[in-house]
Amino acid sequence: PTLIAAPPKAIPDTDTEMQGRVRRLLAEAAAGTLNPEEFAYVRGGFPPNRAKQYVEPLKGAGMLKSLTLLEARELGDDRIRLYDATFEKATLRVRLAVAPDGKIAVFVLSPRPAGGQP
């Protein structure tokens, strides 16, 4: 048990621009309309089914109720953010990394781990 990381805790979110971007990305992901031009380092382009991969975790989740920042850090020159996105019927973990040019380097949706683990 001592090797298990403590669950992340909410921290103040003062970056309203990033929070707005995450909210927009979640809405676009749910609709299957993510813009491939917004993503950096996409090998072989952005296949049409790539956007659809984000639809499944959001299907049936309902409306977004809250976005809770759990982590904000810099890794190299990327800005990394970890959020819990609480919807009407589900809570998803959102990991986002933004490159210096403003493009998305990482956008991952996953179920929130049991016990809120990282």
Side-chain angles (χ1 to χ4, degrees):
T2 59
L3 298 177
I4 297 174
K9 295 182 181 182
I11 58 175
D13 190 357
T14 58
D15 190 344
T16 56
E17 181 181 332
M18 183 71 84
Q19 188 176 115
R21 187 172 191 181
V22 171
R23 288 177 180 277
R24 178 182 54 78
L25 285 168
L26 288 169
E28 290 175 359
T33 60
L34 289 169
N35 180 358
E37 296 298 317
E38 195 168 1
F39 288 79
Y41 322 118
V42 179
R43 291 184 184 149
F46 194 88
N49 63 345
R50 178 75 184 261
K52 292 177 184 173
Q53 291 175 345
Y54 294 105
V55 174
E56 190 59 36
L58 294 166
K59 186 170 38 174
M63 297 294 295
L64 180 64
K65 292 172 43 180
S66 66
L67 196 58
T68 304
L69 181 64
L70 303 173
E71 179 183 350
R73 64 186 175 99
E74 309 293 316
L75 181 61
D77 53 7
D78 286 357
R79 293 182 299 152
I80 311 290
R81 300 294 183 269
L82 181 67
Y83 293 92
D84 269 350
T86 303
F87 296 86
E88 293 170 321
K89 299 177 184 172
T91 299
L92 296 175
R93 186 67 44 96
V94 180
R95 184 170 300 278
L96 179 72
V98 178
D101 62 1
K103 293 197 176 210
I104 298 167
V106 174
F107 180 57
V108 177
L109 301 178
S110 59
R112 183 178 64 180
Q117 292 300 314

